[in-house]
Amino acid sequence: MFVRRVVSSYGGVVTKMFDSPIRRSFTCARVVRSYEEDSVVLSEISKGISAADTESLARMRNIGISAHIDSGKTTFTERVLFYTGRINSIHEVRGRDKVGATMDSMELEREKGITIQSAATYCNWEKEDKNYHFNLIDTPGHIDFTIEVERALRVLDGAVLVVCAVAGVQSQTVTVDRQMRRYDIPRITFINKMDRMGADPFKAIDQINSKLKIPAAAIQVPIGSEKDLKGVVNIIDRLALYNEGKQGETLRVSDIPSELKNLVEEKRKILIETLADVDDEIAECFIEEIDPTVEQIKNAIRRSTISRKFTPVLMGSALANTGIQPVLDAVVDYLPNPAEVLNTGLDISNNEKKVNLVPSSKEPFVGLAFKLEEGKYGQLTYLRVYQGRLKKGGYISNVKDGKKIKVARLVRMHADDMEDVDSIGAGEICATFGIDCASGDTFTDGSLKYAMSSMYVPDAVVSLSISPKTKDVANFSKAMNRFQKEDPTFRVKFDSESKETIVSGMGELHLEIYVERMKREYNVECSTGRPQVSYRESIQGSSSFDYTHKKQSGGAGQFARVMGEMTAEAQPRNVFETKVVGGRISEKFLQACARGFEEACEKGPLIGHKVIGVNMLINDGATHVVDSNEMSFKTATQAAFKQAFQNSNPVILEPIMNTAVTAPAEFQGSIISLLNKLQAIIQDTENSAEEFTVTADCSLNELFGFASSLRAVTQGKGEFSMEFKEYQPCPPQLQRQLIEEHNKKNRK
């Protein structure tokens, strides 16, 4: 019997057994579906949905607002809520009235002027005498809070991608695009900040096409630019739209200004040409040189947007109250309703067979818990209902543990406010109290055992030691447990060697926010150590091993011998293989060897960090009829691992961050010099009229304190963002220093 056990760098183990010693490679890949395949299934599903449900779903949209930090997502969302009548007045993110934007309900968010947690709300929009219901989630733009974007996109059907008209496509825009693709989310694009100096929407559209690799074309052109922005022209209907009134609440429709007619026709031609590449009906019109009708163009945009082949681009300025209402019309016209998105689950009771969920209120209930918060009434659990109806007072069952729970209270969320409801139908988003669960748990009415896939959780990249300044250990532990439950990227462990509590997260700001929240919400002030990088250990060579573990005491002793080879693995994962013939080592002992390998990978021989990229093969060994046992083989494997690892050209890997720095053009030389001091590798530089953006790969270890240095050389006008890219071998002098520090620490 031959065993191959694969341990990924993100955790999780796969064991494969073969009847022949042929080396095989197994990878876990996300299955990418085409919308054409989905649409065939959706048409069949729609036959089982009642007319009432079909009508209700047709007027529902579940959308997220996503963008790079400071692109104006929250400002945009504030206007959406105002124009839909959900709020009565507009408040700015950093407004003089000190109230803050509605969706930034946390005190820390209003102080810092950034979104930290995704916030859900709902509103209604009337178009052509029909009322549409929007479930809307505003997400953070900072990479440190990327899990909030992941969990929101996991349960949404569409999104509005906000892009800055001046900066264009930025680093986090690319990250958000990747997240949207991960969950097959169609999007419309809104180019914001058209009132700023240097705004160039068509440059931004070119960047969407080239950097995001998705066909995009404008469906509007601006009337005026920068401080003279007055409105937009709808190039499909050939109508000019002006926002009037004190806060742009009145939309006046007029003829196209004469000076823009040529530009409108030029951009309309580009729109049709772009659609011809992604839609068959427009392609036929283009080939036959027939001008498509308004209805044909709109239908083509809807088809190609929902099939994720195209994104229509609108423009305006949220802060100047211009161009927001047409975006709401575009959400209705071009983004899918819940019945137009195929959602699947796994039937646990039938060997995890894939099943299609039906968005009908008459079907058995299936819902996904995608976000947890600690509210004043206990744990608040956000749910997306995929099938059936959730009723107040009813019972639901957690598929993971089979526990039956009564739904005591059911609410719709509006930032931190709640509205009680009696029931929630398929396709909607709601929240409930009193459910003890984890993020990503699936709930049913008990008649089904369906489980839905959870969200992608990235690895932590920064760690630091933390301890309470007072002896209030109870509140400290309570805070740690709560934050871990709410945020899967926030991790806590106790280091038995240093006797310290270590917290890990996505960046310095991420951990800084939790330390501050602990002080405000639990009255626990904490001391923190210097941030530590999450290194990895690997090998660059190979070596054979032959290790015998012997231990003799009174009675039965311990004996195990393992032989084999350790080699480097191309992928960032760990692989354990056995090719023992003739029963030299029994299957029971080989399983113990596999457990020893997993434990050895958790704490590397060099500096005690996780091991990645290692393949360990055991092909021979020996046992003793009395002294051999599972513990002996587990210990022998760990010792052989350490021995072979040290002989295989071991190396310490450090996280490399893709870093983007944006600042006024006058500071370009200073910033390039600063990056060179950090030994960063500059990948790209983009210059505009007023500012520039430089993209570089830099070691995370060098980036600690970079924010302060950047502020100093740019007079506080520069900003930067970073995202984990890959692990690379660290410099030899740093490797020696890390090993010396680790050995010194162990000698104490």
Side-chain angles (χ1 to χ4, degrees):
M1 183 66 72
F2 300 92
V3 180
R4 180 174 173 85
R5 195 171 182 86
V6 180
V7 187
S8 76
S9 60
Y10 303 108
V13 180
V14 179
T15 304
K16 297 287 182 182
M17 297 188 179
F18 315 123
D19 295 323
S20 65
I22 300 173
R23 181 183 173 94
R24 307 184 187 184
S25 175
F26 291 84
T27 58
C28 180
R30 184 175 67 90
V31 178
V32 180
R33 308 186 311 261
S34 72
Y35 188 75
E36 286 71 18
E37 294 171 326
D38 287 359
S39 59
V40 175
V41 180
L42 287 167
S43 63
E44 287 298 315
I45 290 175
S46 64
K47 296 174 183 176
I49 304 175
S50 68
D53 279 340
T54 301
E55 177 66 19
S56 172
L57 291 168
R59 298 191 183 188
M60 190 187 302
R61 301 289 185 273
N62 295 317
I63 61 169
I65 314 298
S66 298
H68 182 86
I69 187 170
D70 284 340
S71 291
K73 297 175 303 302
T74 305
T75 305
F76 171 83
T77 307
E78 188 80 359
R79 269 63 182 176
V80 169
L81 296 178
F82 179 71
Y83 295 137
T84 57
R86 193 70 188 81
I87 58 176
N88 298 318
S89 58
I90 293 174
H91 297 286
E92 305 303 344
V93 174
R94 286 193 178 103
R96 293 178 182 175
D97 57 7
K98 302 289 177 71
V99 175
T102 305
M103 301 302 276
D104 284 347
S105 56
M106 189 188 291
E107 186 183 343
L108 263 173
E109 292 179 314
R110 293 181 174 178
E111 278 183 21
K112 292 183 176 289
I114 60 171
T115 303
I116 294 170
Q117 291 185 329
S118 57
T121 188
Y122 64 96
C123 55
N124 295 297
W125 180 246
E126 195 167 297
K127 184 177 186 292
E128 296 172 357
D129 298 324
K130 290 183 179 179
N131 197 272
Y132 292 87
H133 178 79
F134 293 171
N135 290 306
L136 189 149
I137 299 181
D138 178 32
T139 63
H142 204 288
I143 187 64
D144 283 28
F145 311 109
T146 189
I147 192 65
E148 295 291 330
V149 185
E150 293 281 350
R151 67 165 114 227
L153 292 178
R154 171 62 187 85
V155 297
L156 294 172
D157 303 321
V160 177
L161 178 64
V162 181
V163 176
C164 176
V166 180
V169 172
Q170 298 166 273
S171 58
Q172 188 65 5
T173 317
V174 178
T175 304
V176 168
D177 169 73
R178 188 164 58 245
Q179 291 169 320
M180 289 180 180
R181 292 175 190 272
R182 182 178 293 133
Y183 301 106
D184 296 323
I185 302 294
R187 89 287 292 267
I188 61 175
T189 302
F190 177 66
I191 297 181
N192 193 23
K193 301 189 178 183
M194 284 294 299
D195 58 332
R196 276 186 56 186
M197 188 177 291
D200 188 346
F202 303 113
K203 178 187 171 186
I205 293 171
D206 289 341
Q207 291 178 342
I208 293 169
N209 280 282
S210 61
K211 291 188 175 182
L212 303 187
K213 302 293 189 293
I214 182 170
I219 61 173
Q220 294 176 341
V221 297
I223 302 173
S225 63
E226 300 178 356
K227 64 179 182 180
D228 297 320
L229 181 70
K230 297 174 183 175
V232 294
V233 174
N234 179 336
I235 65 176
I236 302 172
D237 296 303
R238 294 186 173 101
L239 293 171
L241 307 172
Y242 296 89
N243 283 88
E244 296 181 343
K246 187 179 179 182
Q247 294 179 308
E249 63 273 17
T250 305
L251 202 64
R252 177 170 65 86
V253 181
S254 181
D255 294 331
I256 302 173
S258 57
E259 68 272 14
L260 289 178
K261 286 185 178 179
N262 289 338
L263 179 63
V264 167
E265 293 308 312
E266 178 193 332
K267 296 303 178 184
R268 198 174 197 270
K269 184 180 177 183
I270 292 173
L271 171 64
I272 293 169
E273 287 175 358
T274 308
L275 287 172
D277 290 335
V278 295
D279 185 81
D280 292 341
E281 186 178 342
I282 300 298
E284 287 179 17
C285 293
F286 187 77
I287 291 168
E288 296 172 9
E289 297 183 355
I290 300 171
D291 192 26
T293 64
V294 169
E295 187 178 359
Q296 282 179 315
I297 294 173
K298 287 185 176 180
N299 289 341
I301 293 174
R302 180 172 179 79
R303 284 192 299 269
S304 54
T305 302
I306 293 176
S307 60
R308 306 179 293 277
K309 296 176 181 177
F310 174 79
T311 177
V313 181
L314 300 95
M315 52 196 71
S317 170
L319 194 63
N321 305 317
T322 303
I324 307 301
Q325 294 94 326
V327 179
L328 298 177
D329 286 342
V331 168
V332 171
D333 290 337
Y334 307 131
L335 290 182
N337 67 58
E340 294 174 308
V341 177
L342 182 62
N343 293 296
T344 60
L346 300 174
D347 189 349
I348 305 299
S349 61
N350 189 17
N351 295 320
E352 297 190 2
K353 183 183 176 183
K354 186 178 173 182
V355 289
N356 298 318
L357 301 178
V358 182
S360 168
S361 297
K362 299 186 186 303
E363 296 289 326
F365 167 74
V366 178
L368 180 72
F370 66 93
K371 178 176 166 68
L372 310 177
E373 271 182 23
E374 189 71 24
K376 51 188 174 183
Y377 304 110
Q379 180 177 298
L380 181 66
T381 304
Y382 288 76
L383 289 165
R384 160 76 192 259
V385 180
Y386 285 96
Q387 181 176 288
R389 182 170 285 277
L390 182 60
K391 296 180 180 178
K392 179 182 175 181
Y395 287 88
I396 57 176
S397 178
N398 190 332
V399 175
K400 186 170 69 177
D401 56 19
K403 193 175 179 182
K404 202 172 182 182
I405 306 150
K406 184 177 181 180
V407 182
R409 189 180 177 193
L410 202 56
V411 297
R412 276 199 181 103
M413 297 302 299
H414 174 52
D416 58 346
D417 293 331
M418 306 169 198
E419 178 188 308
D420 285 274
V421 290
D422 293 325
S423 68
I424 291 289
E428 293 218 52
I429 291 171
C430 63
T432 184
F433 290 97
I435 295 180
D436 185 20
C437 67
S439 184
D441 284 359
T442 305
F443 290 88
T444 69
D445 62 358
S447 65
L448 301 172
K449 288 201 75 175
Y450 290 176
M452 302 194 70
S453 63
S454 190
M455 62 200 164
Y456 167 73
V457 180
D459 249 2
V461 293
V462 175
S463 302
L464 54 81
S465 61
I466 185 170
S467 59
K469 288 183 178 179
T470 62
K471 293 184 178 180
D472 193 357
V473 180
N475 273 344
F476 178 76
S477 299
K478 192 176 178 182
M480 288 295 181
N481 291 332
R482 173 194 161 188
F483 294 153
Q484 280 187 94
K485 202 171 187 181
E486 287 183 4
D487 184 353
T489 60
F490 180 75
R491 288 142 196 188
V492 182
K493 70 174 183 179
F494 182 75
D495 189 333
S496 56
E497 292 178 359
S498 64
K499 308 297 182 188
E500 291 178 324
T501 300
I502 308 295
V503 292
S504 304
M506 300 307 297
E508 286 182 272
L509 179 62
H510 187 210
L511 299 179
E512 180 189 314
I513 290 294
Y514 277 116
V515 171
E516 185 63 28
R517 284 185 64 188
M518 217 175 296
K519 177 182 175 182
R520 297 186 185 208
E521 298 172 28
Y522 289 91
N523 294 318
V524 178
E525 282 199 58
C526 294
S527 301
T528 58
R530 185 179 184 273
Q532 299 294 314
V533 176
S534 293
Y535 293 103
R536 293 290 183 266
E537 299 181 30
S538 189
I539 56 175
Q540 295 178 317
S542 62
S543 70
S544 58
F545 58 85
D546 182 353
Y547 186 85
T548 303
H549 170 68
K550 286 182 183 179
K551 189 176 181 182
Q552 192 65 47
S553 57
Q558 293 183 16
F559 179 88
R561 184 183 181 190
V562 290
M563 302 165 64
E565 187 180 15
M566 178 176 284
T567 56
E569 186 75 13
Q571 300 296 322
R573 60 182 184 180
N574 298 318
V575 179
F576 178 78
E577 292 181 288
T578 62
K579 294 181 182 177
V580 179
V581 294
R584 300 270 295 171
I585 303 177
S586 71
E587 183 61 34
K588 180 173 69 171
F589 293 157
L590 288 175
Q591 292 292 338
C593 291
R595 289 195 296 274
F597 173 75
E598 290 170 36
E599 288 185 19
C601 289
E602 285 298 308
K603 199 168 185 180
L606 297 180
I607 57 172
H609 284 246
K610 284 185 179 180
V611 173
I612 60 172
V614 169
N615 181 304
M616 187 175 187
L617 167 68
I618 293 180
N619 54 24
D620 202 357
T623 59
H624 187 277
V625 67
V626 176
D627 293 347
S628 291
N629 54 39
E630 291 181 45
M631 177 60 73
S632 300
F633 274 92
K634 180 180 172 183
T635 306
T637 303
Q638 289 173 328
F641 179 95
K642 185 175 181 180
Q643 181 189 81
F645 191 93
Q646 295 283 13
N647 295 330
S648 301
N649 193 11
V651 64
I652 296 173
L653 306 176
E654 62 179 350
I656 301 298
M657 312 301 287
N658 182 262
T659 309
V661 184
T662 302
E666 62 196 90
F667 302 111
Q668 186 166 356
S670 301
I671 289 175
I672 297 294
S673 175
L674 181 60
L675 289 171
N676 287 334
K677 286 179 183 176
L678 300 179
Q679 300 175 4
I681 300 172
I682 295 173
Q683 302 290 350
D684 187 29
T685 304
E686 287 186 17
N687 293 282
S688 62
E690 286 195 330
E691 60 185 22
F692 80 102
T693 299
V694 58
T695 306
D697 291 345
C698 187
S699 161
L700 177 62
N701 191 50
E702 300 287 347
L703 285 169
F704 292 130
F706 180 67
S708 301
S709 301
L710 182 64
R711 278 196 298 269
V713 301
T714 62
Q715 300 170 15
K717 298 175 184 176
E719 61 178 42
F720 84 104
S721 64
M722 62 180 182
E723 180 186 12
F724 172 74
K725 182 181 180 182
E726 61 187 353
Y727 279 103
Q728 288 184 6
C730 66
Q733 69 273 17
L734 177 60
Q735 178 161 327
R736 286 193 297 271
Q737 180 187 334
L738 291 170
I739 293 173
E740 285 173 10
E741 288 176 358
H742 178 70
N743 293 338
K744 186 178 179 182
K745 185 178 171 184
N746 285 342
R747 284 195 295 268
K748 286 182 180 179

mmCIF file with all atom_site columns, all heavy atoms in Angstrom, residues 560-574:
data_model
loop_
_atom_site.group_PDB
_atom_site.id
_atom_site.type_symbol
_atom_site.label_atom_id
_atom_site.label_alt_id
_atom_site.label_comp_id
_atom_site.label_asym_id
_atom_site.label_entity_id
_atom_site.label_seq_id
_atom_site.pdbx_PDB_ins_code
_atom_site.Cartn_x
_atom_site.Cartn_y
_atom_site.Cartn_z
_atom_site.occupancy
_atom_site.B_iso_or_equiv
_atom_site.pdbx_formal_charge
_atom_site.auth_seq_id
_atom_site.auth_comp_id
_atom_site.auth_asym_id
_atom_site.auth_atom_id
_atom_site.pdbx_PDB_model_num
ATOM 1   N N   . ALA A 1 560 ? 12.278 2.091  16.774 1.00 0.00 ? 560 ALA A N   1
ATOM 2   C CA  . ALA A 1 560 ? 11.725 2.395  15.451 1.00 0.00 ? 560 ALA A CA  1
ATOM 3   C C   . ALA A 1 560 ? 12.864 2.826  14.544 1.00 0.00 ? 560 ALA A C   1
ATOM 4   O O   . ALA A 1 560 ? 13.753 3.579  14.961 1.00 0.00 ? 560 ALA A O   1
ATOM 5   C CB  . ALA A 1 560 ? 10.681 3.498  15.535 1.00 0.00 ? 560 ALA A CB  1
ATOM 6   N N   . ARG A 1 561 ? 12.837 2.324  13.316 1.00 0.00 ? 561 ARG A N   1
ATOM 7   C CA  . ARG A 1 561 ? 13.833 2.730  12.328 1.00 0.00 ? 561 ARG A CA  1
ATOM 8   C C   . ARG A 1 561 ? 13.114 3.174  11.057 1.00 0.00 ? 561 ARG A C   1
ATOM 9   O O   . ARG A 1 561 ? 12.239 2.453  10.551 1.00 0.00 ? 561 ARG A O   1
ATOM 10  C CB  . ARG A 1 561 ? 14.783 1.582  12.007 1.00 0.00 ? 561 ARG A CB  1
ATOM 11  C CG  . ARG A 1 561 ? 15.899 1.985  11.042 1.00 0.00 ? 561 ARG A CG  1
ATOM 12  C CD  . ARG A 1 561 ? 16.770 0.793  10.690 1.00 0.00 ? 561 ARG A CD  1
ATOM 13  N NE  . ARG A 1 561 ? 17.856 1.180  9.795  1.00 0.00 ? 561 ARG A NE  1
ATOM 14  C CZ  . ARG A 1 561 ? 18.658 0.317  9.178  1.00 0.00 ? 561 ARG A CZ  1
ATOM 15  N NH1 . ARG A 1 561 ? 18.501 -0.990 9.374  1.00 0.00 ? 561 ARG A NH1 1
ATOM 16  N NH2 . ARG A 1 561 ? 19.613 0.756  8.369  1.00 0.00 ? 561 ARG A NH2 1
ATOM 17  N N   . VAL A 1 562 ? 13.447 4.365  10.582 1.00 0.00 ? 562 VAL A N   1
ATOM 18  C CA  . VAL A 1 562 ? 12.832 4.880  9.355  1.00 0.00 ? 562 VAL A CA  1
ATOM 19  C C   . VAL A 1 562 ? 13.942 5.279  8.387  1.00 0.00 ? 562 VAL A C   1
ATOM 20  O O   . VAL A 1 562 ? 14.959 5.853  8.780  1.00 0.00 ? 562 VAL A O   1
ATOM 21  C CB  . VAL A 1 562 ? 11.897 6.088  9.628  1.00 0.00 ? 562 VAL A CB  1
ATOM 22  C CG1 . VAL A 1 562 ? 10.644 5.654  10.351 1.00 0.00 ? 562 VAL A CG1 1
ATOM 23  C CG2 . VAL A 1 562 ? 12.604 7.182  10.401 1.00 0.00 ? 562 VAL A CG2 1
ATOM 24  N N   . MET A 1 563 ? 13.730 4.971  7.111  1.00 0.00 ? 563 MET A N   1
ATOM 25  C CA  . MET A 1 563 ? 14.689 5.291  6.065  1.00 0.00 ? 563 MET A CA  1
ATOM 26  C C   . MET A 1 563 ? 13.939 5.929  4.897  1.00 0.00 ? 563 MET A C   1
ATOM 27  O O   . MET A 1 563 ? 12.775 5.606  4.651  1.00 0.00 ? 563 MET A O   1
ATOM 28  C CB  . MET A 1 563 ? 15.410 4.017  5.587  1.00 0.00 ? 563 MET A CB  1
ATOM 29  C CG  . MET A 1 563 ? 16.133 3.278  6.693  1.00 0.00 ? 563 MET A CG  1
ATOM 30  S SD  . MET A 1 563 ? 16.594 1.589  6.216  1.00 0.00 ? 563 MET A SD  1
ATOM 31  C CE  . MET A 1 563 ? 17.741 1.910  4.886  1.00 0.00 ? 563 MET A CE  1
ATOM 32  N N   . GLY A 1 564 ? 14.620 6.821  4.216  1.00 0.00 ? 564 GLY A N   1
ATOM 33  C CA  . GLY A 1 564 ? 13.959 7.456  3.080  1.00 0.00 ? 564 GLY A CA  1
ATOM 34  C C   . GLY A 1 564 ? 14.722 8.662  2.577  1.00 0.00 ? 564 GLY A C   1
ATOM 35  O O   . GLY A 1 564 ? 15.948 8.757  2.733  1.00 0.00 ? 564 GLY A O   1
ATOM 36  N N   . GLU A 1 565 ? 13.971 9.609  2.001  1.00 0.00 ? 565 GLU A N   1
ATOM 37  C CA  . GLU A 1 565 ? 14.597 10.763 1.371  1.00 0.00 ? 565 GLU A CA  1
ATOM 38  C C   . GLU A 1 565 ? 13.738 12.004 1.578  1.00 0.00 ? 565 GLU A C   1
ATOM 39  O O   . GLU A 1 565 ? 12.503 11.936 1.564  1.00 0.00 ? 565 GLU A O   1
ATOM 40  C CB  . GLU A 1 565 ? 14.761 10.504 -0.132 1.00 0.00 ? 565 GLU A CB  1
ATOM 41  C CG  . GLU A 1 565 ? 15.546 11.582 -0.859 1.00 0.00 ? 565 GLU A CG  1
ATOM 42  C CD  . GLU A 1 565 ? 15.687 11.279 -2.343 1.00 0.00 ? 565 GLU A CD  1
ATOM 43  O OE1 . GLU A 1 565 ? 14.954 10.398 -2.853 1.00 0.00 ? 565 GLU A OE1 1
ATOM 44  O OE2 . GLU A 1 565 ? 16.521 11.941 -2.997 1.00 0.00 ? 565 GLU A OE2 1
ATOM 45  N N   . MET A 1 566 ? 14.388 13.133 1.772  1.00 0.00 ? 566 MET A N   1
ATOM 46  C CA  . MET A 1 566 ? 13.693 14.423 1.864  1.00 0.00 ? 566 MET A CA  1
ATOM 47  C C   . MET A 1 566 ? 14.102 15.270 0.664  1.00 0.00 ? 566 MET A C   1
ATOM 48  O O   . MET A 1 566 ? 15.289 15.413 0.367  1.00 0.00 ? 566 MET A O   1
ATOM 49  C CB  . MET A 1 566 ? 14.045 15.150 3.163  1.00 0.00 ? 566 MET A CB  1
ATOM 50  C CG  . MET A 1 566 ? 13.381 16.519 3.288  1.00 0.00 ? 566 MET A CG  1
ATOM 51  S SD  . MET A 1 566 ? 13.715 17.326 4.872  1.00 0.00 ? 566 MET A SD  1
ATOM 52  C CE  . MET A 1 566 ? 12.625 16.404 5.952  1.00 0.00 ? 566 MET A CE  1
ATOM 53  N N   . THR A 1 567 ? 13.106 15.825 -0.030 1.00 0.00 ? 567 THR A N   1
ATOM 54  C CA  . THR A 1 567 ? 13.359 16.679 -1.201 1.00 0.00 ? 567 THR A CA  1
ATOM 55  C C   . THR A 1 567 ? 12.517 17.945 -1.110 1.00 0.00 ? 567 THR A C   1
ATOM 56  O O   . THR A 1 567 ? 11.543 18.005 -0.346 1.00 0.00 ? 567 THR A O   1
ATOM 57  C CB  . THR A 1 567 ? 13.011 15.939 -2.514 1.00 0.00 ? 567 THR A CB  1
ATOM 58  O OG1 . THR A 1 567 ? 11.649 15.493 -2.448 1.00 0.00 ? 567 THR A OG1 1
ATOM 59  C CG2 . THR A 1 567 ? 13.930 14.757 -2.738 1.00 0.00 ? 567 THR A CG2 1
ATOM 60  N N   . ALA A 1 568 ? 12.903 18.930 -1.894 1.00 0.00 ? 568 ALA A N   1
ATOM 61  C CA  . ALA A 1 568 ? 12.148 20.187 -1.930 1.00 0.00 ? 568 ALA A CA  1
ATOM 62  C C   . ALA A 1 568 ? 10.911 20.016 -2.791 1.00 0.00 ? 568 ALA A C   1
ATOM 63  O O   . ALA A 1 568 ? 10.943 19.360 -3.839 1.00 0.00 ? 568 ALA A O   1
ATOM 64  C CB  . ALA A 1 568 ? 13.029 21.310 -2.474 1.00 0.00 ? 568 ALA A CB  1
ATOM 65  N N   . GLU A 1 569 ? 9.800  20.593 -2.370 1.00 0.00 ? 569 GLU A N   1
ATOM 66  C CA  . GLU A 1 569 ? 8.534  20.569 -3.107 1.00 0.00 ? 569 GLU A CA  1
ATOM 67  C C   . GLU A 1 569 ? 8.375  21.893 -3.838 1.00 0.00 ? 569 GLU A C   1
ATOM 68  O O   . GLU A 1 569 ? 8.629  22.963 -3.272 1.00 0.00 ? 569 GLU A O   1
ATOM 69  C CB  . GLU A 1 569 ? 7.369  20.354 -2.126 1.00 0.00 ? 569 GLU A CB  1
ATOM 70  C CG  . GLU A 1 569 ? 6.021  20.162 -2.769 1.00 0.00 ? 569 GLU A CG  1
ATOM 71  C CD  . GLU A 1 569 ? 5.833  18.786 -3.391 1.00 0.00 ? 569 GLU A CD  1
ATOM 72  O OE1 . GLU A 1 569 ? 6.643  17.876 -3.128 1.00 0.00 ? 569 GLU A OE1 1
ATOM 73  O OE2 . GLU A 1 569 ? 4.856  18.628 -4.138 1.00 0.00 ? 569 GLU A OE2 1
ATOM 74  N N   . ALA A 1 570 ? 7.952  21.827 -5.090 1.00 0.00 ? 570 ALA A N   1
ATOM 75  C CA  . ALA A 1 570 ? 7.844  23.052 -5.897 1.00 0.00 ? 570 ALA A CA  1
ATOM 76  C C   . ALA A 1 570 ? 6.770  23.996 -5.376 1.00 0.00 ? 570 ALA A C   1
ATOM 77  O O   . ALA A 1 570 ? 6.917  25.214 -5.405 1.00 0.00 ? 570 ALA A O   1
ATOM 78  C CB  . ALA A 1 570 ? 7.559  22.691 -7.356 1.00 0.00 ? 570 ALA A CB  1
ATOM 79  N N   . GLN A 1 571 ? 5.668  23.436 -4.889 1.00 0.00 ? 571 GLN A N   1
ATOM 80  C CA  . GLN A 1 571 ? 4.562  24.249 -4.396 1.00 0.00 ? 571 GLN A CA  1
ATOM 81  C C   . GLN A 1 571 ? 4.730  24.543 -2.906 1.00 0.00 ? 571 GLN A C   1
ATOM 82  O O   . GLN A 1 571 ? 5.408  23.798 -2.193 1.00 0.00 ? 571 GLN A O   1
ATOM 83  C CB  . GLN A 1 571 ? 3.225  23.522 -4.625 1.00 0.00 ? 571 GLN A CB  1
ATOM 84  C CG  . GLN A 1 571 ? 2.930  23.217 -6.078 1.00 0.00 ? 571 GLN A CG  1
ATOM 85  C CD  . GLN A 1 571 ? 2.771  24.473 -6.894 1.00 0.00 ? 571 GLN A CD  1
ATOM 86  O OE1 . GLN A 1 571 ? 2.207  25.456 -6.438 1.00 0.00 ? 571 GLN A OE1 1
ATOM 87  N NE2 . GLN A 1 571 ? 3.280  24.454 -8.121 1.00 0.00 ? 571 GLN A NE2 1
ATOM 88  N N   . PRO A 1 572 ? 4.102  25.629 -2.388 1.00 0.00 ? 572 PRO A N   1
ATOM 89  C CA  . PRO A 1 572 ? 4.212  25.950 -0.951 1.00 0.00 ? 572 PRO A CA  1
ATOM 90  C C   . PRO A 1 572 ? 3.326  25.041 -0.099 1.00 0.00 ? 572 PRO A C   1
ATOM 91  O O   . PRO A 1 572 ? 2.376  25.459 0.532  1.00 0.00 ? 572 PRO A O   1
ATOM 92  C CB  . PRO A 1 572 ? 3.744  27.408 -0.886 1.00 0.00 ? 572 PRO A CB  1
ATOM 93  C CG  . PRO A 1 572 ? 2.798  27.543 -2.036 1.00 0.00 ? 572 PRO A CG  1
ATOM 94  C CD  . PRO A 1 572 ? 3.320  26.657 -3.117 1.00 0.00 ? 572 PRO A CD  1
ATOM 95  N N   . ARG A 1 573 ? 3.634  23.756 -0.133 1.00 0.00 ? 573 ARG A N   1
ATOM 96  C CA  . ARG A 1 573 ? 2.874  22.769 0.640  1.00 0.00 ? 573 ARG A CA  1
ATOM 97  C C   . ARG A 1 573 ? 3.843  21.704 1.112  1.00 0.00 ? 573 ARG A C   1
ATOM 98  O O   . ARG A 1 573 ? 4.984  21.614 0.637  1.00 0.00 ? 573 ARG A O   1
ATOM 99  C CB  . ARG A 1 573 ? 1.783  22.143 -0.229 1.00 0.00 ? 573 ARG A CB  1
ATOM 100 C CG  . ARG A 1 573 ? 2.347  21.423 -1.440 1.00 0.00 ? 573 ARG A CG  1
ATOM 101 C CD  . ARG A 1 573 ? 1.279  20.831 -2.334 1.00 0.00 ? 573 ARG A CD  1
ATOM 102 N NE  . ARG A 1 573 ? 1.883  20.071 -3.416 1.00 0.00 ? 573 ARG A NE  1
ATOM 103 C CZ  . ARG A 1 573 ? 1.200  19.452 -4.346 1.00 0.00 ? 573 ARG A CZ  1
ATOM 104 N NH1 . ARG A 1 573 ? -0.108 19.508 -4.346 1.00 0.00 ? 573 ARG A NH1 1
ATOM 105 N NH2 . ARG A 1 573 ? 1.813  18.761 -5.293 1.00 0.00 ? 573 ARG A NH2 1
ATOM 106 N N   . ASN A 1 574 ? 3.400  20.873 2.023  1.00 0.00 ? 574 ASN A N   1
ATOM 107 C CA  . ASN A 1 574 ? 4.228  19.788 2.529  1.00 0.00 ? 574 ASN A CA  1
ATOM 108 C C   . ASN A 1 574 ? 3.604  18.453 2.136  1.00 0.00 ? 574 ASN A C   1
ATOM 109 O O   . ASN A 1 574 ? 2.381  18.283 2.237  1.00 0.00 ? 574 ASN A O   1
ATOM 110 C CB  . ASN A 1 574 ? 4.357  19.883 4.048  1.00 0.00 ? 574 ASN A CB  1
ATOM 111 C CG  . ASN A 1 574 ? 5.033  21.180 4.468  1.00 0.00 ? 574 ASN A CG  1
ATOM 112 O OD1 . ASN A 1 574 ? 5.998  21.609 3.857  1.00 0.00 ? 574 ASN A OD1 1
ATOM 113 N ND2 . ASN A 1 574 ? 4.515  21.823 5.507  1.00 0.00 ? 574 ASN A ND2 1
#
